[in-house]
Amino acid sequence: MFGDIMGMMGKLKETQQKVEETKKRLDFVLIDEKSADGLLEVTLTANRKIKSITLSDDLLQDKEMLEDYLVNVLNKAIEKATNVHETELAAVAKEGMPNIPGMDMFK
């Protein structure tokens, strides 16, 4: 019994380490998103850190339009980055979970 518990604890610790390694790797996975007309482009990491924002001079003429573009494009990019982040971490977590009957949390 204790051997099983010790084995599970070791596997959980190993999984925790893999999760941390995956989080570090996601700092280098870049997500690009641009407006439909190409006037604004943002790049962020899968950890949702903004790396760059590129915008057309046309957007500098209208403050409200620029704000709308930023909100829309950043929200789309954050959603994509969140999906990548969660998918990657869920895969690592599922791989490291002990097989406990009735605990199929990651189907």
Side-chain angles (χ1 to χ4, degrees):
M1 179 176 151
F2 287 112
D4 290 342
I5 292 173
M6 295 305 289
M8 283 194 301
M9 294 300 289
K11 188 152 177 89
L12 289 174
K13 186 171 184 153
E14 180 182 314
T15 299
Q16 183 178 16
Q17 182 178 353
K18 286 182 180 179
V19 165
E20 292 304 316
E21 289 169 0
T22 300
K23 286 180 182 179
K24 287 179 186 175
R25 183 178 57 78
L26 291 176
D27 278 333
F28 300 98
V29 175
L30 299 179
I31 308 297
D32 294 314
E33 183 64 38
K34 64 172 80 174
S35 61
D37 57 12
L39 295 179
L40 176 71
E41 183 174 349
V42 300
T43 301
L44 47 125
T45 70
N47 281 327
R48 299 170 299 255
K49 304 279 189 226
I50 297 171
K51 296 302 256 179
S52 70
I53 297 176
T54 306
L55 55 108
S56 167
D57 290 340
D58 297 341
L59 290 175
L60 297 176
Q61 308 307 316
D62 186 342
K63 179 181 181 282
E64 285 183 26
M65 186 167 78
L66 174 58
E67 290 169 346
D68 289 342
Y69 269 69
L70 283 168
V71 168
N72 289 328
V73 175
L74 283 169
N75 280 334
K76 286 180 187 176
I78 290 168
E79 183 178 335
K80 284 182 178 179
T82 298
N83 288 338
V84 169
H85 184 89
E86 289 176 355
T87 299
E88 291 289 321
L89 291 182
V92 171
K94 181 179 180 181
E95 176 184 305
M97 289 296 291
N99 188 14
I100 301 172
M103 296 289 289
D104 295 330
M105 298 183 334
F106 298 103
K107 278 191 172 182

